[in-house]
Amino acid sequence: MKNKITIKKLGFFSAPILCMFVTACGDDSLLKAVRDFTKTRAAASEAVGKISEDFYQSCVRQYSFLPIEPIPTILHLQKKTPYQQRIERLKKCNVQWEIGEDFKKSNDTLLKYMAALEAISSDNVVVFPNTTRDKLVNAINGLPLGNSNNPNVSAERQEAVKAGAGILQLISKIFLNKFRKNQLSEAIVNTNDDVQVYVAILKKSVQRGYIEGYLQQEQDNIDLQYNLIVTDLLRKEFPNIAPNNRPEKLAFDSSSPFYSIDNQWREKRAEVGKNIQIGRLYIQFLDEVAQGHNELYTLIKGKRPESLTENQATQNQQKLIEKLARNRLKRIQYIAQQLEKELVR
């Protein structure tokens, strides 16, 4: 009985496809490339999980930095508290769990597509993603894409829904054994447009939705809180500073109360910066996947030059595909290594 594929056993789709063109996968270096990419796939999957969970965590963090409010006695008697604004905003964060799940489901569809291509290239069993077309549509419609008033967002969602449905349909065909190893080229050609559109929307959800929509707001709230703290301390320390005769900018030693506050500000921003870096690296990973897929599509669709015989053209194509796949793999491995470093920090 054939073994089912798990996410950590999957290889990059271009290397197994490459096997189809090169000596029936007899090249050990290509097989090694597939094994090596197992680690990069694991890192990408882990990044998706980290980002999907961080929509909620980032929401909590950004509202945790809202300044507390002085409460007049009359409002205090009405059970208003200095933390009232924070508490009310934090209640809204529960919605972010669903947004994170939608993000994960949408990205998993792309990962499962790559898995399906790897599976038919090696005669393994295809594991169908735990979703339906309706569930995928709901997930795509739940992706954070920045300002909801942007008129382009609705059109982008519609394009992503169409592309995602096309990808899911191909996975279904592979799952139902309607595609065989010798039809792998057909699968690449038929799905390339959908892959390019779908990856583009996933990248936007990371950049506009996660980085600009959540992490940037988190940093802004950190700055707001620490600006208020330091402003208050400076006014007490230097009460008589004339607007037109301000002293030199301050640098504090470790005994100063400002020193520890300044360090806290840096540490809080560094924590957000780490998550921004994870998001950017995952965008780079998505870029490489889309470009690698498009390279294969271009080569498969390319016509044989008239000056070459069919055999010569095939050999040249094999060499070019192998070179492109190796170069692409190196870049993806580097991105994965950087992702792994950020994920364990």
Side-chain angles (χ1 to χ4, degrees):
M1 182 177 177
K2 295 176 181 178
N3 294 326
K4 288 189 175 182
I5 301 172
T6 62
I7 191 67
K8 290 190 176 181
K9 292 180 181 176
L10 299 174
F12 182 48
F13 61 86
S14 66
I17 292 169
L18 184 56
C19 295
M20 182 178 66
F21 295 97
V22 185
T23 63
C25 293
D27 187 340
D28 286 342
S29 64
L30 295 177
L31 295 176
K32 182 179 183 300
V34 175
R35 291 192 295 269
D36 288 344
F37 193 78
T38 299
K39 297 178 182 178
T40 68
R41 283 294 308 280
S45 179
E46 192 174 346
V48 169
K50 172 69 173 68
I51 293 171
S52 66
E53 292 176 2
D54 202 49
F55 284 105
Y56 172 77
Q57 299 296 341
S58 178
C59 181
V60 169
R61 291 192 302 268
Q62 67 175 265
Y63 289 139
S64 296
F65 285 105
L66 285 177
I68 59 175
E69 301 174 280
I71 302 298
T73 302
I74 184 67
L75 293 181
H76 182 69
L77 293 174
Q78 296 173 2
K79 297 186 177 179
K80 294 287 185 179
T81 71
Y83 284 92
Q84 192 72 31
Q85 186 184 23
R86 285 191 190 181
I87 293 168
E88 292 300 320
R89 297 288 182 87
L90 285 169
K91 289 177 182 177
K92 298 180 180 180
C93 289
N94 290 331
V95 179
Q96 313 311 318
W97 282 116
E98 188 174 339
I99 290 176
E101 281 298 305
D102 289 336
F103 178 85
K104 188 174 187 302
K105 289 174 185 175
S106 299
N107 281 270
D108 280 351
T109 297
L110 179 69
L111 297 177
K112 289 295 175 67
Y113 166 68
M114 295 162 62
L117 291 183
E118 194 277 336
I120 58 170
S121 71
S122 56
D123 288 331
N124 284 324
V125 174
V126 177
V127 178
F128 194 76
N130 182 25
T131 190
T132 63
R133 187 186 188 282
D134 288 344
K135 288 181 180 178
L136 178 60
V137 170
N138 289 336
I140 294 170
N141 285 330
L143 278 175
L145 293 173
N147 189 350
S148 58
N149 295 322
N150 184 339
N152 296 325
V153 169
S154 179
E156 289 170 350
R157 289 195 194 280
Q158 291 176 9
E159 290 180 356
V161 165
K162 182 180 177 182
I167 292 171
L168 190 63
Q169 184 179 38
L170 181 66
I171 298 175
S172 301
K173 289 180 179 180
I174 296 172
F175 180 73
L176 296 172
N177 291 324
K178 291 185 178 180
F179 271 95
R180 303 291 182 182
K181 182 185 286 190
N182 60 0
Q183 295 175 297
L184 209 47
S185 296
E186 182 184 348
I188 298 290
V189 170
N190 289 347
T191 319
N192 189 60
D193 287 347
D194 288 336
V195 168
Q196 303 306 316
V197 170
Y198 199 69
V199 167
I201 204 71
L202 294 180
K203 286 165 54 182
K204 287 175 182 176
S205 73
V206 179
Q207 180 62 44
R208 295 196 319 220
Y210 178 56
I211 294 176
E212 296 174 9
Y214 284 77
L215 299 181
Q216 186 59 58
Q217 184 61 54
E218 190 179 334
Q219 280 194 332
D220 290 346
N221 284 5
I222 290 171
D223 293 344
L224 174 62
Q225 186 187 58
Y226 280 91
N227 272 327
L228 290 173
I229 293 172
V230 172
T231 297
D232 187 52
L233 286 172
L234 288 173
R235 281 174 179 167
K236 292 176 180 177
E237 185 77 17
F238 305 98
N240 300 315
I241 295 178
N244 298 322
N245 188 27
R246 290 182 293 179
E248 294 293 326
K249 292 182 180 179
L250 304 172
F252 303 105
D253 61 34
S254 57
S255 63
S256 168
F258 293 97
Y259 186 83
S260 62
I261 292 171
D262 197 39
N263 268 349
Q264 289 173 25
W265 175 75
R266 266 193 286 266
E267 289 170 0
K268 296 299 182 185
R269 284 185 61 91
E271 290 172 10
V272 182
K274 170 191 166 182
N275 292 332
I276 290 175
Q277 180 64 1
I278 289 172
R280 287 175 176 168
L281 286 169
Y282 183 60
I283 289 173
Q284 291 178 31
F285 174 83
L286 290 172
D287 260 335
E288 295 295 336
V289 168
Q291 290 178 50
H293 196 282
N294 197 58
E295 286 169 356
L296 289 170
Y297 166 82
T298 302
L299 287 166
I300 292 167
K301 290 287 287 183
K303 294 182 179 180
R304 171 171 58 89
E306 293 182 3
S307 60
L308 298 177
T309 66
E310 183 175 348
N311 186 51
Q312 288 173 323
T314 301
Q315 290 177 351
N316 287 342
Q317 186 184 46
Q318 289 172 358
K319 291 178 182 178
L320 181 55
I321 291 173
E322 182 173 359
K323 180 180 178 180
L324 288 172
R326 291 185 188 283
N327 290 340
R328 185 71 58 194
L329 179 60
K330 287 179 182 178
R331 288 193 288 274
I332 293 178
Q333 284 176 327
Y334 174 76
I335 293 170
Q337 289 169 0
Q338 299 303 112
L339 263 175
E340 287 171 354
K341 289 179 183 178
E342 295 296 332
L343 288 164
V344 299
R345 276 173 52 183

